[in-house]
């Protein structure tokens, strides 16, 4: 019995003297946020050279393609080459800066307390203790860094720390946002719909002369028609003055307003003054006798003389103030509409 009691007291004493978790050396929490920049710098140092070489080779290939004589291919190659360069810069600066900011935001820190214990990826050993695995990885990392090529060392030690600087990252984001806003602002003014047909032709193509002539002499833009509604009294003097733009027409007529707007093309979008068939009709009726325009028979002023009659039996149409009489307006109008302009009568 004495031996059993002595063994029990000995076991109880050993259990009481056994160190608890509170007596063990405390472990220092690993702050993941403090290592974000270094980890991204190492990652960028590994993939940065390959990104640079790949982007440079593709850009050079497209820039070489821009030496072709076809304008369309040259423009495409230039745009593609510049786009690859800009894409590389965005990946190197914008994406890296945004990734670093997001990683620092989502990474736990040592000051978050015990709630973040389950999110810590690793723990550093306590002071005075050693961890063979950490020592081996640190030595391997130092060895890899010292034996790495100069491009890797430049990206990981110079370029990446510069991009990840606390002042450079917001500045890069501001510059990129300003550039995006600038590109959006110039789209409505400088972006043209469609492709110029001359760009698809080689420089020595015979069709370039044709397209140049079309662009030079027919570059008037889309036609615009101002239509007067049905029922306007063209056979009256007031009705004619409301739409014409010749002698004795109103300053507030339709043609006068359009011609006034043509003086401000940037505001009204009217490139040139408009023409009216009413003014052409007045010129047709008041044309000299040498032109075979509006003519009537000498012995019958109510009968129209066709242009085919060249026997000298015709005379000019009766007009007053360079306009036909109101009763003759509707009589001469069908002949004016049927007669095509030619050398004999350019006002048809």
């Amino acid at each position: 019995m004495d031996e059993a009691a002595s063994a029990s007291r000995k076991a109880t004493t050993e259990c009481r003297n056994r160190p608890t978790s509170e007596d063990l050396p405390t472990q220092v929490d690993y702050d993941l946020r403090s290592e974000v920049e270094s980890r991204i710098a190492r990652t960028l140092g590994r993939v940065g050279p390959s990104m640079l070489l790949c982007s440079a080779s593709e850009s050079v290939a497209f820039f070489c393609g821009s030496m072709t004589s076809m304008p369309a291919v040259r423009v495409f190659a230039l745009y593609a080459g510049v786009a690859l360069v800009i894409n590389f810069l965005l990946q190197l600066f914008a994406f890296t800066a945004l990734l670093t900011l997001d990683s620092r935001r989502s990474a736990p820190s040592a000051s978050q307390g015990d709630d973040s214990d389950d999110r810590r990826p690793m723990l550093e050993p306590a002071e005075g203790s050693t961890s063979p695995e950490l020592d081996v990885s640190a030595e391997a990392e130092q060895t890899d860094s010292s034996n790495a090529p100069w491009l890797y060392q430049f990206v990981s030690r110079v370029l990446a720390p510069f991009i990840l600087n606390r002042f450079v990252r917001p500045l890069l984001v501001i510059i990129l946002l300003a550039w995006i806003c600038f590109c959006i602002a110039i789209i409505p003014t400088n972006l043209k719909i469609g492709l110029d047909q001359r760009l698809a032709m080689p420089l020595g193509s015979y069709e370039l002369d044709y397209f140049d002539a079309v662009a030079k002499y027919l570059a008037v833009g889309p036609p615009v028609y101002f239509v007067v509604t049905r029922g306007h009294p063209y056979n009256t003097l007031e009705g004619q003055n409301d739409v014409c733009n010749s002698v004795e027409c109103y300053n507030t007529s339709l043609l006068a307003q359009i011609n006034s707007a043509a003086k401000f093309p940037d505001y009204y979008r009217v490139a040139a003054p408009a023409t009216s068939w009413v003014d052409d009709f007045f010129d047709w009726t008041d044309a000299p006798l040498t032109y075979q325009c509006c003519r009537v028979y000498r012995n019958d002023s109510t009968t129209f003389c066709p242009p085919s009659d060249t026997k000298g039996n015709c005379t000019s149409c009766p007009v007053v103030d360079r306009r036909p009489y109101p009763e003759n307006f509707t009589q001469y109008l069908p002949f004016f509409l049927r007669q095509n302009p030619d050398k004999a009568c350019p006002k048809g």
Side-chain angles (χ1 to χ4, degrees), residues 202-263:
L203 296 180
S205 176
Y206 66 93
E207 294 186 0
L208 285 179
D209 297 335
Y210 167 74
F211 289 124
D212 290 339
V214 171
K216 181 178 180 181
Y217 300 107
L218 299 180
V220 294
V224 180
Y225 299 95
F226 296 89
V227 181
V228 180
T229 57
R230 180 178 299 180
H232 185 76
Y234 287 102
N235 57 348
T236 63
L237 185 62
E238 291 78 7
Q240 297 171 6
N241 292 335
D242 286 337
V243 295
C244 66
N245 192 35
S246 57
V247 181
E248 297 184 1
C249 295
Y250 296 150
N251 294 331
T252 58
S253 65
L254 176 62
L255 265 294
Q257 295 296 323
I258 296 175
N259 294 340
S260 299
K263 298 179 181 179

Side-chain angles (χ1 to χ4, degrees), residues 8-313:
S8 177
R9 287 194 298 269
K10 184 177 180 180
T12 303
T13 303
E14 291 179 356
C15 183
R16 290 177 179 178
N17 295 332
R18 183 177 300 173
T20 61
S21 59
E22 297 178 355
D23 299 330
L24 293 176
T26 58
Q27 294 178 333
V28 180
D29 293 334
Y30 180 78
D31 192 354
L32 187 59
R33 291 186 178 180
S34 62
E35 293 294 327
V36 169
E37 287 83 356
S38 61
R39 289 188 293 114
I40 292 183
R42 291 194 300 269
T43 304
L44 191 61
R46 293 180 181 274
V47 302
S50 60
M51 292 170 54
L52 175 61
L53 295 177
C54 182
S55 301
S57 60
E58 293 180 356
S59 300
V60 170
F62 278 111
F63 288 143
C64 291
S66 64
M67 294 186 293
T68 182
S69 61
M70 296 186 65
V73 179
R74 182 171 63 250
V75 171
F76 168 76
L78 289 175
Y79 270 97
V82 174
L84 287 173
V85 174
I86 295 177
N87 184 33
F88 171 73
L89 296 178
L90 289 177
Q91 288 181 348
L92 196 62
F93 292 95
F95 177 75
T96 306
L98 295 176
L99 179 62
T100 305
L101 293 175
D102 183 70
S103 299
R104 287 182 59 85
R105 177 191 60 81
S106 59
S109 62
S111 61
Q112 290 180 344
D114 297 336
D115 296 338
S116 60
D117 289 343
D118 54 343
R119 298 172 58 187
R120 297 179 189 135
M122 59 181 298
L123 295 176
E124 289 185 353
E127 183 178 359
S129 61
T130 59
S131 177
E133 296 180 358
L134 293 178
D135 294 341
V136 172
S137 61
E139 293 177 359
E141 181 179 348
Q142 293 178 359
T143 304
D144 294 341
S145 178
S146 60
N147 297 331
W150 65 270
L151 188 58
Y152 169 83
Q153 296 181 8
F154 170 77
V155 173
S156 61
R157 297 180 181 180
V158 179
L159 184 59
F162 172 76
I163 299 175
L164 302 177
N165 187 276
R166 57 180 300 184
F167 300 104
V168 176
R169 287 198 304 266
L171 181 61
L172 291 176
V173 174
I174 294 174
I175 293 175
L176 293 173
L177 291 178
W179 177 256
I180 292 174
C181 295
F182 173 75
C183 294
I184 295 175
I186 65 174
I187 285 177
T189 56
N190 295 334
L191 185 62
K192 297 181 180 179
I193 300 176
L195 178 66
D196 190 354
Q197 294 180 344
R198 292 175 294 180
L199 298 178
M201 301 295 170
L203 296 180
S205 176
Y206 66 93
E207 294 186 0
L208 285 179
D209 297 335
Y210 167 74
F211 289 124
D212 290 339
V214 171
K216 181 178 180 181
Y217 300 107
L218 299 180
V220 294
V224 180
Y225 299 95
F226 296 89
V227 181
V228 180
T229 57
R230 180 178 299 180
H232 185 76
Y234 287 102
N235 57 348
T236 63
L237 185 62
E238 291 78 7
Q240 297 171 6
N241 292 335
D242 286 337
V243 295
C244 66
N245 192 35
S246 57
V247 181
E248 297 184 1
C249 295
Y250 296 150
N251 294 331
T252 58
S253 65
L254 176 62
L255 265 294
Q257 295 296 323
I258 296 175
N259 294 340
S260 299
K263 298 179 181 179
F264 306 95
D266 295 336
Y267 184 78
Y268 291 101
R269 302 298 181 184
V270 179
T275 58
S276 174
W277 67 269
V278 178
D279 294 329
D280 293 337
F281 180 62
F282 292 162
D283 295 338
W284 180 79
T285 56
D286 192 37
L289 189 59
T290 55
Y291 292 104
Q292 299 175 2
C293 295
C294 184
R295 300 183 304 167
V296 294
Y297 287 104
R298 296 180 184 274
N299 55 1
D300 187 5
S301 61
T302 60
T303 304
F304 186 79
C305 182
S308 59
D309 191 346
T310 59
K311 297 180 180 181
N313 298 326

